[in-house]
Amino acid sequence: MTTSQPDSPYSHGFATIAVAVPSHRLADPAFGAERTIALLQQATEQGAAVVVFPELGLSSYSIDDLVQQDAVLEASLRALESVIVATRSTVPLVAVGLPLVLGSALYNCAAVIHDGELLGVVPKSYLPNYREFYEERYFASARDAPFDTVRVLDRDVPFGNDLIFEARGIPGLAVHVEICEDLWVPIPPSTWAALAGATVLLNLSASNITTGKADYRRALSSAHSARCVAAHAYVSAGHGESTTDLAWDGDALITENGSLLARAERFTETEQVIVADIDLDRIRQERLRTNSFNDSVGDYAEKARSLRRIEFHVTAPQQDTDLRRNVERFPYVPVDAADRDARCREVVNIQVQALSTRLSTSGINRLVIGVSGGLDSTLALLVAVETMDRLGLPRTNVLAYTMPGFATGSATKDRAHILMKSLGVTAEEIDIRPSCLQMLEDLDHPYARGEKVYDITFENVQAGERTSHLFRLANMHGALVLGTGDLSELALGWCTYGVGDQMSHYNVNASVPKTLIRHLIRWMVSAQNYSSVTSEVLAEIVDDVVSPELIPAGDDGVMQDTEASIGPYELHDFFLYYLTRFGYRPSKVAYLAHHAWGDRTRGAWSDLMPAEHRHQYDLDTIKKWLRVFLDRFMRSQFKRTAMPNAPKVGSGGSLSPRGDWRSPSDAKATTWLDELDSN
């Protein structure tokens, strides 16, 4: 096997799939072959490993009784032969549609071809004979075929709807083919193929268009790819089909595990080749993790074992190309405004519902929270206020404390006071410096002797004193301590363990990453649900530098900057998502991050993201911070093992040992770092 180039998507577990919509000329297979070969060449030049054409694309679909004419049938065979010849010394596996007389019956078929060889013939299983369809007038069904091998163009080839075409040379690429109506039935034949290991499901269709049908096609393809944990490529007939009683829109789409990757332009007279890079690693990882999928494999193991596997040998395309799929910079936050609004609304609802239930079941109606004037405590405070409103309790039941330490800035403290006052909660200030100084004296720390030693002990004494005060305040007032630490900090271990900000009675932010918190607060401001005073201070908070404010500013007046120390949260959240959600190797995470973040002009940004915050990072910078992430993520597991209860918010957003993530506290990052270095 020849490996692909390092910058090629094929080097990172992707395979390029193409759907081709040619022009049709009724009952003219020679023209069909000509257009098929031309589009095949385009797909080949774009690095496709698989190309699929419409149902009966060589003869055209809407020729009615003409499909039984010997002249058309013989011309279709000649057209097939010319396509087979055209595939010699090319990479793609090709699926084309044509009518074939086999035995004493006519079948609606897909011919599967690779490198000048006809690998197999797949007959249509379900023949629609209702409304505008009359296929049983012409064709026999796959189930009625008395043979599983047929002779076509002087060669014997496998025949049936039970064929899986497995690529040797592109790991994980296993293709199943079915035709149009086969997808619309309760159990499509490709379902069995997916259970048997097929990862890419092709559907050759000639579906005519009626009002609303395009939306249904998308839903059908997306749902089928999700249920089968697979990629699905669908292509329909377009310009040139008969409009005697029907119309055709040339629809074609590629979906993967429920997501639409690419779609053709409908109602155009121009031929199209639509490509997308399928993530074979994602399909494999999702199947590994989804035990119910494998339970279904076990339930239908006999059926799955009955499918036949046909190997073909392929060398992945060598050219370096950009990844042809959208990789969101912020995997936890949709870019589309409507989707983002719905997501943000749902996140807040999850947080509020979880907290209100915890208060109700505990019989406690008060909350204690530390408010720093930073992002995390701000979101937690807003959730606490909304919870009291929904429970019909006074906002004064939220006992909010700002607790300045040795490095607390006046601007931060002022924002905390303005926020607490404008929200109508019970607001207090406790200066923790005297108690911190007492502990530092007890420890004989150099700072207590007047030395400017700002080590981890100095920092954690302050974090610990804040948490200690909050728990004792909760005891005194019959309240729960509401945690504020977020998912990003838990992932990086950027929190003080035990008697520190890692601990609380309940934490509404524990599965909300830092990037989502920023977007949530921006969204709350844009929704205009708060007073002008509250909105103004929220806008200041969301645009400020992230800082724990535990070390006093230096002689230059610069405050402690978290992201300058451990790296940008926007990159760390990206790393976290792909490492924990999909288990990708670090080199692939870096590849995806560079695609998403390498060029600020590529891809859409949220309209709530200010221009000055639209960053880009080169590959060396991405790898630098990925190394930091991998090391910190593995070393800080012990903090997550003992984390308090918290609601899971997103599909890629929980590190609770009682939820998504179980990991030993003493694992090392060596394997991940070695993989990043070697690849």
Side-chain angles (χ1 to χ4, degrees):
M1 163 184 147
T2 302
T3 58
S4 54
Q5 296 297 316
D7 291 333
S8 165
Y10 286 94
S11 297
H12 298 280
F14 295 95
T16 304
I17 307 300
V19 288
V21 185
S23 294
H24 298 279
R25 188 179 292 169
L26 296 173
D28 189 347
F31 178 82
E34 174 190 320
R35 302 321 308 151
T36 295
I37 293 168
L39 296 190
L40 171 59
Q41 180 61 33
Q42 291 183 31
T44 301
E45 291 170 355
Q46 295 186 62
V50 177
V51 188
V52 56
F53 290 86
E55 175 184 13
L56 295 176
L58 294 182
S59 63
S60 67
Y61 175 84
S62 56
I63 57 175
D64 296 333
D65 286 1
L66 300 182
V67 78
Q68 294 177 323
Q69 291 286 307
D70 283 341
V72 173
L73 295 171
E74 291 168 4
S76 295
L77 267 177
R78 292 194 299 272
L80 174 61
E81 186 165 28
S82 65
V83 174
I84 292 173
V85 171
T87 65
R88 289 175 183 166
S89 301
T90 63
V91 170
L93 180 78
V94 182
V96 297
L98 76 161
L100 285 175
V101 176
L102 301 168
S104 60
L106 178 62
Y107 295 87
N108 181 343
C109 296
V112 182
I113 309 160
H114 179 255
D115 194 11
E117 181 181 358
L118 180 61
L119 299 181
V121 174
V122 179
K124 191 170 184 176
S125 298
Y126 297 95
L127 304 172
N129 220 61
Y130 56 88
R131 300 190 185 99
E132 62 263 43
F133 302 109
Y134 297 93
E135 289 192 29
E136 288 184 359
R137 178 182 177 91
Y138 315 113
F139 301 112
S141 168
R143 76 174 69 84
D144 298 326
F147 37 72
D148 59 13
T149 301
V150 294
R151 192 158 185 83
V152 178
L153 297 173
D154 297 324
R155 67 200 82 182
D156 293 325
V157 296
F159 176 83
N161 63 5
D162 59 345
L163 307 180
I164 298 177
F165 302 90
E166 294 188 339
R168 292 293 177 260
I170 302 177
L173 180 61
V175 181
H176 179 266
V177 178
E178 64 189 8
I179 302 173
C180 200
E181 188 78 5
D182 295 351
L183 175 64
W184 298 63
V185 299
I187 306 178
S190 54
T191 303
W192 310 119
L195 295 177
T199 53
V200 175
L201 314 177
L202 308 182
N203 186 278
L204 294 77
S205 179
S207 174
N208 63 297
I209 185 61
T210 55
T211 303
K213 195 173 186 180
D215 291 338
Y216 190 80
R217 287 186 196 128
R218 173 175 177 169
L220 197 63
S221 176
S222 297
H224 191 56
S225 70
R227 282 194 304 272
C228 292
V229 192
H232 188 258
Y234 171 96
V235 59
S236 189
H239 178 68
E241 289 286 358
S242 172
T243 57
T244 301
D245 289 303
L246 303 172
W248 313 85
D249 63 341
D251 200 5
L253 46 87
I254 302 172
T255 57
E256 176 190 293
N257 202 25
S259 300
L260 178 67
L261 300 185
R263 192 168 197 173
E265 180 183 352
R266 298 166 53 231
F267 299 110
T268 177
E269 297 183 5
T270 304
E271 295 179 319
Q272 298 181 76
V273 174
I274 307 301
V275 298
D277 290 327
I278 298 300
D279 192 342
L280 297 171
D281 285 342
R282 180 188 181 192
I283 294 168
R284 172 178 52 83
Q285 279 280 355
E286 290 284 32
R287 289 182 176 183
L288 286 175
R289 294 160 186 265
T290 309
N291 67 291
S292 53
F293 178 88
N294 290 298
D295 287 344
S296 296
V297 174
D299 288 343
Y300 299 102
E302 184 175 353
K303 177 70 174 178
R305 282 194 296 266
S306 71
L307 271 73
R308 292 175 284 168
R309 287 168 169 77
I310 301 169
E311 292 186 2
F312 63 102
H313 295 265
V314 60
T315 298
Q318 296 298 297
Q319 65 264 41
D320 292 346
T321 59
D322 285 338
L323 184 64
R324 282 166 292 202
R325 63 188 281 144
N326 183 42
V327 179
E328 298 286 358
R329 295 177 177 86
F330 300 100
Y332 298 98
V333 186
V335 171
D336 177 78
D339 291 343
R340 181 199 62 231
D341 291 350
R343 180 75 59 85
C344 289
R345 190 173 297 109
E346 188 164 39
V347 168
V348 173
N349 280 331
I350 290 171
Q351 292 178 290
V352 170
Q353 190 275 339
L355 181 57
S356 63
T357 300
R358 178 53 57 100
L359 289 174
S360 298
T361 56
S362 67
I364 296 173
N365 60 13
R366 290 182 177 181
L367 293 169
V368 165
I369 181 173
V371 180
S372 68
L375 285 170
D376 297 345
S377 63
T378 294
L379 178 61
L381 180 60
L382 295 173
V383 170
V385 166
E386 178 68 19
T387 300
M388 293 302 170
D389 290 349
R390 293 195 190 181
L391 290 174
L393 297 171
R395 291 187 176 186
T396 50
N397 280 21
V398 178
L399 312 179
Y401 296 85
T402 187
M403 293 177 282
F406 297 121
T408 301
S410 58
T412 305
K413 188 175 74 169
D414 289 346
R415 285 198 293 261
H417 278 292
I418 293 170
L419 183 64
M420 293 185 295
K421 181 178 179 181
S422 67
L423 289 172
V425 301
T426 300
E428 301 286 348
E429 178 179 323
I430 297 177
D431 187 344
I432 63 168
R433 287 175 294 182
S435 56
C436 288
L437 188 58
Q438 179 62 56
M439 179 170 283
L440 291 169
E441 290 175 352
D442 294 343
L443 296 174
D444 194 25
H445 190 275
Y447 182 82
R449 300 192 298 271
E451 300 178 33
K452 294 182 178 181
V453 176
Y454 306 129
D455 56 9
I456 191 170
T457 303
F458 177 82
E459 293 189 67
N460 284 351
V461 161
Q462 296 172 79
E465 281 300 309
R466 288 189 176 114
T467 302
S468 179
H469 277 75
L470 292 174
F471 272 97
R472 301 298 73 81
L473 288 164
N475 293 154
M476 189 166 69
H477 295 291
L480 292 180
V481 175
L482 186 62
T484 62
D486 63 51
L487 180 69
S488 309
E489 293 177 342
L490 282 167
L492 292 162
W494 194 252
C495 51
T496 301
Y497 182 65
V499 184
D501 54 319
Q502 178 261 352
M503 188 50 61
S504 63
H505 286 128
Y506 197 71
N507 185 356
V508 290
N509 287 347
S511 68
V512 185
K514 189 77 76 176
T515 50
L516 180 53
I517 288 178
R518 281 193 185 277
H519 279 80
L520 280 167
I521 296 176
R522 285 194 176 106
W523 171 75
M524 290 172 170
V525 172
S526 69
Q528 299 180 341
N529 292 330
Y530 301 104
S531 70
S532 59
V533 174
T534 301
S535 294
E536 184 176 343
V537 74
L538 289 177
E540 293 177 5
I541 289 169
V542 81
D543 285 331
D544 201 7
V545 172
V546 177
S547 173
E549 293 192 334
L550 295 173
I551 297 176
D555 294 337
D556 57 3
V558 176
M559 296 294 295
Q560 188 178 13
D561 184 338
T562 297
E563 292 179 290
S565 299
I566 61 173
Y569 276 117
E570 55 196 13
L571 284 183
H572 287 314
D573 286 355
F574 188 97
F575 302 152
L576 174 67
Y577 180 81
Y578 284 102
L579 187 76
T580 61
R581 178 67 178 81
F582 299 114
Y584 288 159
R585 63 189 71 85
S587 59
K588 179 165 184 170
V589 175
Y591 173 77
L592 292 171
H594 189 237
H595 180 77
W597 287 97
D599 182 353
R600 66 167 61 88
T601 66
R602 179 171 56 196
W605 290 87
S606 166
D607 59 342
L608 296 181
M609 177 66 73
E612 62 271 20
H613 293 305
R614 299 183 180 186
H615 303 135
Q616 67 182 34
Y617 303 95
D618 60 31
L619 186 57
D620 287 342
T621 301
I622 288 169
K623 291 174 67 177
K624 168 190 171 181
W625 294 121
L626 179 53
R627 290 185 64 83
V628 170
F629 175 86
L630 293 169
D631 179 60
R632 294 192 65 96
F633 182 77
M634 292 301 172
R635 285 195 292 111
S636 61
Q637 176 60 35
F638 72 98
K639 296 182 180 181
R640 299 188 291 269
T641 298
M643 63 182 287
N645 290 177
K648 179 180 177 180
V649 169
S651 62
S654 175
L655 292 176
S656 169
R658 299 170 297 276
D660 282 20
W661 187 253
R662 291 164 178 79
S663 179
S665 295
D666 41 13
K668 302 295 183 183
T670 306
T671 298
W672 288 263
L673 294 171
D674 287 349
E675 196 284 333
L676 180 62
D677 291 338
S678 63
N679 293 317

